[in-house]
Amino acid sequence: MTIKKFINTVFMTEILKGMALTFRSMLTPAITRQYPKVKRSAAAGFRGEHAFVRDPETGREKCIGCGLCGAVCPSQCIHIYTSEDPETHKKIVDRYEIELLRCVYCAFCVEACPVGAISLTENYEYADYSREALYMTKEKLLANWDKFMAGKKGEEYFKKFWHPQANDFAAYAGQAVFNHKPKVEGK
Ligand code: SF4
Ligand code: SF4
């Protein structure tokens, strides 16, 4: 037995340390928040309920129906139904649905989206009693955008939490680059 261990055993220092901790916590006032009367705001970037970005110019969803979010989703809980506009031949997103009960809130869908059309909001109060209420449709997702992310908030969200962005791929100073074919004199 080492001297330190011997002293600890004789003077029961571990017990005294534990008692000191107990007394200290007795003197610290308890902090109990009376939820839901008292609420804490979620930190920026909190991964809560989803929202579908509304294009301010068209007023419609920004989504182009590429399906990347659905492909990357580890829970396979995103369902996208598209059709083709007969005149413009552009894809129309007829339905965009997320099963929240299967979502793991990884935000891969946000990162994979090439146009920044899906986000996670700071809303954590969406518990409900039915599965239907937790099955997000395009309309519900757009309503979430209007409610939680419209305006500057949405812009800030994508600046901070949508990665990778174009400038993440910027070449650093001195990085080797391909040069054009050298110009041959007289040609
Ligand atoms: S947050 Fe993750 S699990 Fe949820 S829908 Fe997006 S990719 Fe799927
Ligand atoms: S949300 Fe983004 S990744 Fe998903 S289908 Fe629409 S454009 Fe593609």
Side-chain angles (χ1 to χ4, degrees):
M1 184 184 277
T2 61
I3 296 174
K4 195 178 169 195
K5 209 167 177 190
F6 176 75
I7 293 169
N8 280 347
T9 309
V10 171
F11 295 101
M12 296 185 287
T13 50
E14 295 302 324
I15 292 176
L16 293 175
K17 270 190 207 165
M19 293 298 284
L21 185 66
T22 307
F23 286 125
R24 259 208 312 276
S25 64
M26 280 167 76
L27 297 174
T28 313
I31 302 170
T32 305
R33 287 195 178 83
Q34 300 297 325
Y35 180 85
K37 284 184 192 153
V38 181
K39 291 177 190 174
R40 270 204 301 181
S41 52
F46 177 82
R47 294 175 189 170
E49 200 181 22
H50 304 63
F52 219 22
V53 182
R54 193 187 288 282
D55 189 329
E57 282 172 24
T58 62
R60 291 176 57 86
E61 68 278 358
K62 214 172 165 193
C63 174
I64 51 170
C66 67
L68 283 176
C69 53
V72 81
C73 175
S75 308
Q76 300 282 289
C77 64
I78 301 176
H79 309 287
I80 308 156
Y81 304 86
T82 58
S83 58
E84 191 182 307
D85 186 313
E87 284 174 18
T88 62
H89 299 290
K90 280 187 179 169
K91 227 178 221 182
I92 301 169
V93 181
D94 299 316
R95 285 166 57 192
Y96 186 98
E97 294 162 2
I98 303 177
E99 293 176 68
L100 289 193
L101 285 174
R102 287 175 54 193
C103 173
V104 293
Y105 298 88
C106 59
F108 283 2
C109 50
V110 179
E111 292 185 23
C113 180
V115 294
I118 181 93
S119 72
L120 295 176
T121 72
E122 291 164 22
N123 180 34
Y124 55 85
E125 296 185 293
Y126 51 92
D128 214 294
Y129 294 102
S130 69
R131 284 179 178 274
E132 290 70 36
L134 296 165
Y135 193 89
M136 302 303 286
T137 60
K138 189 172 95 172
E139 291 70 30
K140 283 192 204 174
L141 290 165
L142 282 170
N144 271 357
W145 178 262
D146 297 336
K147 199 168 166 191
F148 302 112
M149 302 295 272
K152 280 264 165 247
K153 182 136 191 165
E155 275 176 38
E156 287 299 310
Y157 174 86
F158 281 104
K159 257 190 233 156
K160 281 189 191 154
F161 304 109
W162 183 36
H163 287 286
Q165 296 178 346
N167 53 8
D168 292 331
F169 299 104
Y172 56 85
Q175 183 175 348
V177 288
F178 286 109
N179 286 321
H180 292 295
K181 223 165 130 188
K183 220 174 168 187
V184 181
E185 287 300 318
K187 286 203 176 178

